[in-house]
């Protein structure tokens, strides 16, 4: 390696970098890096144009250093913008995002579907199942919602009712065990209840707490479903039940009944019964009547048919069920249960097996198949 050659080339290479716009100090550092690279590489691989090689390598080193310094300054700037360490604020951005996605330019149903997909993380299939519509229909609805809000400013939040519907459906999906979203839905509803004095917000929070209190007892150690009547009530969370009942009572005292308060009242009656046999089914039917008047929901009427079957006998329940569309999800499972209660195990077993084939998830399908197998085994004895 000719050290004299390197020393002679250094000033001219430095001048080239300065003329290209590099400040002197940075150019000098870059040239030094190039000289070091030359000392390492030239003995094994001599170059034809030493000056050109040095200029090229030095300029690349300068650019790399400049980019690195720019990135470092950017990182330092971002660090300066970070909030100081300490407890997180009581209200985070998630709830605000729910309100913004429930945009006034959307219909309530479209806003709920879009928010569930974009913020809640639910799949189109899960949302379609919650709305009792085909997956393709829900996919089109979500696509239309996206087109509607494309280009609009998200500076006008949606209404409370739409956000409550989203939180309710997110909780239901989490409570089903398919996606663990129940705890997050409760957390956000607590935030909403703390910021808005609204009886339906309180009703929804009470409903979530009362349902969530039974979660530990809903499945057996092998993951199979345990029906409400067979659950170990000693595993229910009595603290959550007490909190839910207290919140519900305060909401009902305001005499502004809404669907979530009515649902919570039904859940509270189940939670209040020491045993399944002591459940006040007559009062539950009355609450379902209130709920049906508020929502006109086929799912509510399906659940009411079960309650009627418990309060007034299985024949009355089957009569209430006959007024509903047989294509309604879980209609066949309810029919199977009521026929079993009515002393018709053959029909019940057939319907349980049919309901299993329609079940939306594996756990429910296995439960219904076990019910069918149980009745068939009893008949074959």
């Amino acid at each position: 390696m000719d050290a004299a050659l390197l020393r002679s080339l250094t000033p001219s290479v430095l001048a080239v970098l300065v003329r290209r716009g590099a400040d002197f100090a940075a150019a000098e550092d870059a040239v030094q890096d190039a000289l070091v690279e030359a000392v390492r590489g030239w003995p094994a691989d001599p170059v034809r144009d030493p000056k050109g090689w040095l200029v090229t390598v030095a300029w690349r080193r300068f650019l790399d250093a400049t980019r690195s310094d720019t990135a470092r300054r950017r990182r330092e700037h971002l660090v300066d913008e970070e909030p100081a360490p300490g407890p997180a604020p009581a209200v985070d951005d998630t709830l605000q995002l729910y309100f913004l996605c429930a945009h006034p330019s959307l219909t309530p149903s479209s806003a709920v579907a879009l928010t569930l997909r974009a913020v809640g993380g639910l799949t189109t299939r899960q949302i379609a199942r919650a709305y009792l519509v085909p997956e393709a229909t829900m996919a089109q609805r979500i696509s239309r919602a996206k087109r509607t809000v494309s280009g609009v400013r998200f500076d006008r939040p949606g209404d409370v009712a739409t956000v409550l519907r989203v939180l309710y459906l997110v909780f239901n999906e989490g409570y089903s065990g398919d996606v663990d979203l129940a705890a997050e839905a409760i957390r956000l509803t607590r935030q909403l209840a703390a910021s808005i004095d609204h009886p339906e917000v309180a009703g929804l929070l009470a409903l979530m707490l009362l349902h969530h209190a039974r979660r530990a007892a809903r499945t057996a150690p092998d993951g199979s479903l345990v029906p409400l009547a067979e659950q170990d009530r000693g595993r229910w969370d009595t603290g959550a039940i007490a909190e839910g009942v207290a919140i519900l009572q305060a909401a009902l005292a305001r005499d502004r009944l809404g669907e979530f308060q009515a649902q919570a009242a039904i859940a509270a009656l189940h939670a209040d019964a020491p045993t399944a046999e002591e459940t006040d089914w007559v009062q539950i039917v009355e609450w379902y009547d209130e709920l049906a008047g508020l929502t006109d929901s086929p799912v509510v009427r399906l659940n009411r048919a079960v309650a009627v079957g418990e309060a007034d006998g299985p024949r009355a329940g089957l009569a209430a069920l006959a007024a509903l569309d047989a294509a309604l999800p879980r209609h066949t499972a309810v029919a199977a249960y009521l026929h079993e209660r009515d002393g018709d195990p053959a029909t019940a077993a057939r319907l349980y097996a049919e309901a299993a084939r329609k079940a939306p998830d594996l756990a429910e399908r296995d439960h219904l198949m076990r019910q069918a197998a149980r009745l068939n085994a009893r008949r074959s004895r």
Side-chain angles (χ1 to χ4, degrees):
M1 172 61 64
D2 189 344
L5 174 62
L6 289 177
R7 284 196 297 272
S8 66
L9 291 174
T10 298
S12 59
V13 173
L14 182 59
V16 171
L17 266 65
V18 171
R19 285 198 301 271
R20 289 185 177 182
D23 65 87
F24 187 85
E28 190 175 26
D29 289 340
V31 172
Q32 292 299 318
D33 288 343
L35 293 174
V36 170
E37 190 69 18
V39 170
R40 290 174 178 171
W42 284 5
D45 185 18
V47 297
R48 294 181 178 180
D49 180 8
K51 180 181 177 180
W53 187 95
L54 287 170
V55 168
T56 299
V57 173
W59 182 249
R60 289 174 179 169
R61 294 293 186 274
F62 165 75
L63 293 177
D64 289 343
T66 301
R67 294 189 186 106
S68 177
D69 187 58
T70 300
R72 177 186 57 78
R73 288 197 302 269
R74 175 59 181 159
R75 288 194 298 270
E76 291 174 350
H77 180 64
L78 290 174
V79 169
D80 290 339
E81 292 178 346
E82 288 181 358
V91 179
D92 60 27
D93 292 335
T94 309
L95 190 58
Q96 182 66 17
L97 192 57
Y98 272 68
F99 272 96
L100 292 178
C101 284
H103 199 269
S105 63
L106 298 171
T107 64
S109 61
S110 294
V112 170
L114 179 62
T115 311
L116 288 171
R117 187 72 184 92
V119 186
L122 273 63
T123 66
T124 303
R125 176 176 297 179
Q126 291 167 333
I127 301 169
R129 190 173 67 206
Y131 270 90
L132 309 180
V133 298
E135 183 177 353
T137 301
M138 182 53 64
Q140 293 175 355
R141 184 179 300 178
I142 293 173
S143 295
R144 285 196 299 269
K146 289 180 179 179
R147 288 196 297 270
T148 299
V149 300
S150 62
V152 304
R153 294 184 59 189
F154 281 79
D155 54 358
R156 293 189 299 155
D159 65 344
V160 174
T162 301
V163 174
L164 287 179
R165 177 62 51 187
V166 174
L167 290 170
Y168 173 68
L169 292 174
V170 169
F171 174 82
N172 280 348
E173 195 59 49
Y175 190 65
S176 72
D178 194 14
V179 180
D180 190 12
L181 296 170
E184 174 67 0
I186 292 174
R187 184 184 72 85
L188 293 173
T189 307
R190 282 191 186 279
Q191 286 187 6
L192 189 58
S195 60
I196 298 177
D197 183 19
H198 193 297
E200 271 294 82
V201 176
L204 179 58
L205 179 57
L207 175 64
M208 289 180 175
L209 291 170
L210 290 164
H211 276 308
H212 206 59
R214 302 199 304 259
R215 187 170 190 178
R218 291 185 72 245
T219 54
D222 62 359
S224 60
L225 293 180
V226 180
L228 175 60
E230 301 172 18
Q231 289 177 14
D232 178 2
R233 299 185 179 221
R235 299 184 65 194
W236 289 1
D237 185 342
T238 55
I241 290 173
E243 182 185 5
V245 169
I247 292 172
L248 173 63
Q249 289 175 338
L252 291 175
R254 302 178 65 177
D255 199 24
R256 291 169 55 194
L257 183 64
E259 63 172 297
F260 295 124
Q261 295 169 74
Q263 286 192 56
I266 294 169
L269 287 168
H270 283 298
D272 187 55
T275 65
E277 294 72 23
E278 296 174 85
T279 304
D280 188 348
W281 286 106
V282 172
Q283 193 172 172
I284 287 176
V285 171
E286 293 174 355
W287 276 111
Y288 270 123
D289 289 338
E290 293 278 3
L291 187 56
L294 290 166
T295 67
D296 195 28
S297 164
V299 174
V300 169
R301 297 189 182 280
L302 181 68
N303 291 331
R304 180 186 177 277
V306 176
V308 169
E310 298 289 352
D312 302 326
R315 295 286 176 90
L318 286 168
L321 186 65
L324 302 177
D325 185 354
L328 191 64
R330 296 188 174 89
H331 184 285
T332 308
V334 170
Y337 173 75
L338 291 172
H339 276 288
E340 181 182 357
R341 289 281 317 282
D342 194 37
D344 187 356
T347 301
R350 176 179 58 79
L351 291 172
Y352 275 131
E354 182 182 339
R357 292 190 291 270
K358 303 176 182 177
D361 57 64
L362 184 61
E364 186 171 337
R365 187 197 71 183
D366 289 347
H367 170 72
L368 293 168
M369 286 302 297
R370 281 194 298 271
Q371 297 297 88
R374 173 179 57 81
L375 292 179
N376 285 327
R378 183 184 301 172
R379 291 170 55 219
S380 63
R381 289 173 187 169

